[in-house]
Amino acid sequence: MKIEEDLGFINILKRATKLLCGNINLVLFLFLCSLPLFCFLIFFELSLQTTVSLASQYLVRQLTNWDYYYVPQDASVLENLIPLLIQTFLLYLFPYGLIDLFTTTTIVSASWIVHTSEEEPLRFGQLVRRTVEICQNRLEGCLITSLYVLLLSTPVFFGFLFVATNYFHIISLTGSGENSYYYSINIEEDAEGYYRSSSVNSPVKMLFDAVLAMFHGAIFLGLLAMFSKWSAGWNMGLVVSVLEEEENGQSIYGTDALTLSSNYGKGHEKRGLQVMLVFLVFAIAMRMPCFCFKCTESSNGNRVLYTSFYVGLICVGNMIKWVACVVFYEDCRTRVLEKKGDVEIGSKGKTFVA
């Protein structure tokens, strides 16, 4: 298939949305397949909200209560926080990883079948049967590829954690907090027995904290851009594991899938970065109102209701993201095979055709 013009990231998103909107059976099937992920994400997000809330409470208390004479220790918050951190990490690592892998494999398989099928329209039963045929032969390879992706992405997550930890550590050492922008004049004991300082404004500290925040913010944005760029290649590697196989019928997975993905995406890194960045920012933006307005302090019913709402939007975004990855993969692969005449990469693997 000849591609006359390069697909910009906007066109990729448009084609992905058009593919979903143009086939009601595909939308219905992907909706049913995303239900397990939707239900689990509600539980996971509620746990994550509680963890983030406790962590922020602990950090704020340590910073705002910083004093040369007395530093109160909130041991109870820390004791509750550590088990929650472990629980959230384990939930993300095991149940979420497997459910997300199943959902991803299904979305990629079904969208590719509809995209390449010559039957119009494709019946629901046919779509289910063909999707199952692909998934049952690809899950093991996709699991191996996803483990490689997890291994490669772990240093980036540690980078995010290091930047945040280093920022708060420097603030704690310099005494930043509610009283950090002031010169101390005298020390007074308040009603709770804590010592507070009367003070006047200090522009030097304000400037120092602004520079500190900008420096760490720039590093964070750099890591975010790197992660988005690399995740485009990792996601295409998962698509390769689902859709391609070697000439002997064996699936392509692990380092082979990631290498093939790298070859396909060479020269298209900017488009991949833009596509992944859109969905990453979308996922963060959906969560931010709940964290900013402290959903954990609201009534349980409202908290669950809003969490269910934004989890539903995240699941819809996840569907569009993986369909966009399929469109991006098809465009990159076709260009590479056209350029190299089906010799170097085309001899490595062949794509499943519905």
Side-chain angles (χ1 to χ4, degrees), residues 200-232:
V200 295
N201 234 347
S202 172
V204 176
K205 273 220 162 183
M206 293 177 66
L207 178 63
F208 173 79
D209 287 346
V211 172
L212 188 67
M214 291 175 60
F215 175 74
H216 286 85
I219 297 177
F220 184 87
L221 291 176
L223 286 173
L224 189 65
M226 290 171 58
F227 178 77
S228 299
K229 178 181 177 180
W230 292 340
S231 65

Side-chain angles (χ1 to χ4, degrees), residues 110-241:
S111 58
W112 179 257
I113 290 171
V114 172
H115 186 54
T116 58
S117 176
E118 298 179 356
E119 301 177 31
E120 293 289 346
L122 192 66
R123 292 196 299 270
F124 186 82
Q126 293 175 313
L127 178 61
V128 173
R129 177 176 55 80
R130 294 184 185 184
T131 303
V132 171
E133 288 176 358
I134 299 177
C135 292
Q136 67 183 3
N137 297 322
R138 296 290 189 269
L139 274 176
E140 182 179 354
C142 289
L143 177 60
I144 295 174
T145 304
S146 66
L147 291 176
Y148 275 93
V149 171
L150 178 64
L151 182 64
L152 292 171
S153 61
T154 298
V156 183
F157 289 126
F158 276 118
F160 285 121
L161 181 62
F162 174 77
V163 171
T165 304
N166 187 66
Y167 175 67
F168 284 110
H169 179 63
I170 294 177
I171 288 179
S172 66
L173 290 178
T174 56
S176 296
E178 291 182 350
N179 298 325
S180 61
Y181 302 137
Y182 304 95
Y183 294 116
S184 293
I185 296 178
N186 55 61
I187 305 298
E188 299 175 351
E189 185 177 359
D190 62 13
E192 298 178 357
Y194 297 150
Y195 290 98
R196 304 294 182 185
S197 57
S198 302
S199 44
V200 295
N201 234 347
S202 172
V204 176
K205 273 220 162 183
M206 293 177 66
L207 178 63
F208 173 79
D209 287 346
V211 172
L212 188 67
M214 291 175 60
F215 175 74
H216 286 85
I219 297 177
F220 184 87
L221 291 176
L223 286 173
L224 189 65
M226 290 171 58
F227 178 77
S228 299
K229 178 181 177 180
W230 292 340
S231 65
W234 298 336
N235 289 343
M236 194 190 296
L238 286 170
V239 174
V240 169
S241 297

Side-chain angles (χ1 to χ4, degrees), residues 46 294-307:
L46 291 173
K294 299 180 179 180
C295 283
T296 52
E297 296 179 3
S298 64
S299 63
N300 192 52
N302 292 336
R303 179 189 175 195
V304 174
L305 182 62
Y306 178 73
T307 301

Side-chain angles (χ1 to χ4, degrees), residues 236-253:
M236 194 190 296
L238 286 170
V239 174
V240 169
S241 297
V242 177
L243 300 180
E244 296 207 27
E245 61 182 19
E246 296 178 345
E247 293 182 346
N248 59 7
Q250 296 295 321
S251 61
I252 300 176
Y253 55 85

